[in-house]
Amino acid sequence: MSDREQDPGEKQRIPVTGRFYILPDDLHEDFIRASGPGGQNVNKVSTAVQLRFDLDGNTTLPEDVKTRAAALAGSRLTQGGEIVLQADRFRTRERNREDALNRLLELLRKAFEKPKPRKATRPTLASKKRRLDTKKKRGAVKKMRGRGAAID
């Protein structure tokens, strides 16, 4: 069986990475009127897509990926645990649907990248010396300000 052919009992899957996928049941699309290109048509036809992905309700993604995806989503994450993406760059519904889905998949793929752990390092002797020299110069400049020149 090829990738395109599906077993009738198996739900359609949307691949994210090699082993991981999301289900269409986790996605909800609403069509709204766009503010972008479209001329007079923009006032008549709802071509913009508002894609909602139920991140909390998803069962196919690992928990650590969900946590990173929530952080990457930022203000696009609702209190209900949904990622909301709006696509209105194109004039047609189909292209806006593809755009919204591609942006969601890109965000999820980015969430699969594990952050590189930071290794604690100590400041070098030279950097400590530079910092103290800068502080001394800054202090001398500030000391010269004021009513009378303060002489030590």
Side-chain angles (χ1 to χ4, degrees):
M1 221 187 262
S2 72
D3 290 343
R4 297 268 183 230
E5 296 175 25
Q6 290 285 320
D7 183 20
E10 187 179 314
K11 289 184 179 180
Q12 181 72 26
R13 297 176 174 184
I14 302 168
V16 178
T17 63
R19 288 183 15 213
F20 296 99
Y21 58 90
I22 56 175
L23 297 173
D25 295 346
D26 294 334
L27 299 175
H28 178 73
E29 293 174 334
D30 288 320
F31 295 98
I32 54 178
R33 292 203 176 138
S35 61
Q40 293 176 348
N41 204 38
V42 82
N43 299 324
K44 298 185 294 186
V45 183
S46 300
T47 57
V49 177
Q50 191 177 57
L51 179 70
R52 293 177 168 273
F53 173 64
D54 186 11
L55 187 64
D56 284 352
N58 180 276
T59 57
T60 60
L61 299 176
E63 285 302 317
D64 61 329
V65 172
K66 286 185 186 182
T67 305
R68 286 194 295 270
L72 285 170
S75 63
R76 295 174 291 193
L77 185 71
T78 65
Q79 288 182 343
E82 287 185 324
I83 296 175
V84 180
L85 297 172
Q86 188 166 325
D88 61 359
R89 281 196 286 188
F90 302 104
R91 288 178 174 222
T92 63
R93 271 189 182 188
E94 198 53 45
R95 290 203 46 205
N96 283 328
R97 287 177 75 191
E98 288 173 18
D99 183 41
L101 184 61
N102 287 337
R103 285 177 26 212
L104 174 67
L105 292 175
E106 187 179 317
L107 184 140
L108 293 176
R109 286 183 188 118
K110 216 178 261 188
F112 270 95
E113 297 171 10
K114 291 185 179 161
K116 186 177 170 184
R118 183 188 180 280
K119 294 179 185 173
T121 58
R122 292 174 52 187
T124 62
L125 187 61
S127 68
K128 286 182 188 176
K129 195 172 174 100
R130 278 193 304 271
R131 184 178 65 85
L132 292 175
D133 287 345
T134 306
K135 284 171 70 81
K136 281 181 189 170
K137 285 180 188 172
R138 187 80 184 134
V141 167
K142 288 185 174 187
K143 200 175 220 183
M144 295 305 289
R145 294 181 187 155
R147 296 191 187 145
I151 302 174
D152 267 356

